[in-house]
Amino acid sequence: DFIIGDNDSFKQSDLDFNVLFSSQKDFSDLKGALEILSEKQKYIYLSGFSGGRLDHFMCVFGECFEHLNRFKNSIIYLNNSITILPQGTHTLELNAEFSLICFDSNIISLSGNILYPCEGITVYPASSRLLSNEANGKFSLTCSAPIALIKDKYCD
């Protein structure tokens, strides 16, 4: 574990931060944390960073997608419900409903054990075209830009 932030929302004095930012800054804690990482960091597990605010949550997505545009070999996990994958072909295994969301125009192919396969479709940012699919085992996802795979309910 590596703890990074400014402790403005967490407020625990007994934690030893590996990197403690000033609370007066013009960037988010997440942006600062991602800038510390290099292309050698394959898996990134994130918790927090949104403070329960929709505006912060949207910026978390933006910063993660930007990171994967720069470092194309990383995979970012947000809590247990969201996996943000870099461009390329990914073999996944899932037995659940899922949706795909992108922040850039993206060419998508889905094949394997899924309800709605597709081949080379172009989707725009935040398109509803990839909502509510269902996987029953292994499937393949090819994307021309980073994409978020969202499973389970994240918001109520």
Side-chain angles (χ1 to χ4, degrees):
D1 292 342
F2 198 79
I3 301 173
I4 299 172
D6 61 15
N7 204 23
D8 69 343
S9 57
F10 201 56
K11 302 286 189 215
Q12 277 204 315
S13 59
D14 61 337
L15 284 179
D16 290 327
F17 278 73
N18 299 87
V19 176
L20 183 61
F21 297 128
S22 167
S23 61
Q24 300 298 313
K25 60 190 179 313
D26 64 351
F27 59 91
S28 70
D29 292 350
L30 177 59
K31 181 171 181 61
L34 291 174
E35 286 184 354
I36 291 170
L37 302 177
S38 73
E39 69 274 358
K40 294 179 183 178
Q41 189 65 46
K42 173 84 173 146
Y43 303 106
I44 302 167
Y45 298 88
L46 301 175
S47 181
F49 292 108
S50 73
R53 292 177 48 181
L54 182 58
D55 57 340
H56 284 222
F57 185 71
M58 296 302 294
C59 290
V60 166
F61 263 99
E63 294 297 346
C64 290
F65 276 75
E66 178 57 28
H67 183 79
L68 293 184
N69 278 324
R70 288 189 358 240
F71 300 117
K72 297 179 182 354
N73 293 319
S74 296
I75 297 173
I76 299 176
Y77 299 93
L78 294 176
N79 300 322
N80 294 321
S81 299
I82 301 171
T83 303
I84 305 177
L85 300 161
Q87 74 177 48
T89 298
H90 307 279
T91 300
L92 305 164
E93 187 164 357
L94 186 62
N95 290 301
E97 218 176 76
F98 71 94
S99 294
L100 297 170
I101 304 289
C102 57
F103 266 42
D104 296 303
S105 291
N106 211 327
I107 300 170
I108 305 296
S109 293
L110 287 165
S111 61
N113 295 316
I114 57 169
L115 187 57
Y116 303 116
C118 61
E119 183 64 37
I121 64 167
T122 300
V123 294
Y124 55 86
S127 168
S128 66
R129 178 69 168 83
L130 300 170
L131 286 177
S132 300
N133 207 331
E134 188 175 327
N136 293 298
K138 286 187 180 181
F139 67 99
S140 178
L141 161 66
T142 301
C143 51
S144 65
I147 195 158
L149 185 147
I150 303 172
K151 59 183 181 176
D152 303 323
K153 290 185 179 179
Y154 197 78
C155 302
D156 286 328

